[in-house]
Amino acid sequence: MAFSDRLFPQHKRDFAGKRWVKIGLRTLHLMGLAGIGGAYFYDVEAALWLPYLWLTMLSGLLMLLVEVWSHGVWLLQIRGLAIFVKIVL
């Protein structure tokens, strides 16, 4: 099976509980963002906000991987490209 066939399957992949996994990851992502925002507003040392940064990055990466695994066309759509713009920013 070629790499392009794995990235762009004939039918969209799915798994039981995908919706709840995405909701959980989005919740963790928002918690991480809130922690980083709080650190910005209250000027705390890096040791206190770094775990929130890692939580944000890891949950964001996992959300990206779930979407790409479902169907690689996500990378070519505006919503996928917008994520890459946010990462660059």
Side-chain angles (χ1 to χ4, degrees):
M1 181 176 239
F3 178 72
S4 62
D5 294 337
R6 290 178 192 217
L7 189 58
F8 302 107
Q10 289 291 100
H11 303 286
K12 190 174 180 180
R13 295 182 193 112
D14 207 3
F15 60 90
K18 179 181 170 188
R19 180 173 185 257
W20 291 107
V21 167
K22 289 172 64 173
I23 289 171
L25 288 172
R26 190 174 304 120
T27 301
L28 290 173
H29 194 70
L30 292 173
M31 287 171 56
L33 285 173
I36 292 171
Y40 175 77
F41 285 123
Y42 296 111
D43 192 34
V44 298
E45 60 189 57
L48 294 175
W49 63 264
L50 240 88
Y52 292 105
L53 175 66
W54 286 110
L55 177 64
T56 303
M57 296 298 286
L58 182 63
S59 61
L61 177 66
L62 290 173
M63 284 191 294
L64 184 140
L65 290 175
V66 166
E67 292 299 328
V68 171
W69 179 81
S70 293
H71 202 289
V73 76
W74 183 87
L75 293 170
L76 305 174
Q77 295 173 339
I78 296 296
R79 57 187 169 169
L81 296 175
I83 297 301
F84 290 116
V85 169
K86 288 193 321 187
I87 290 171
V88 169
L89 290 175

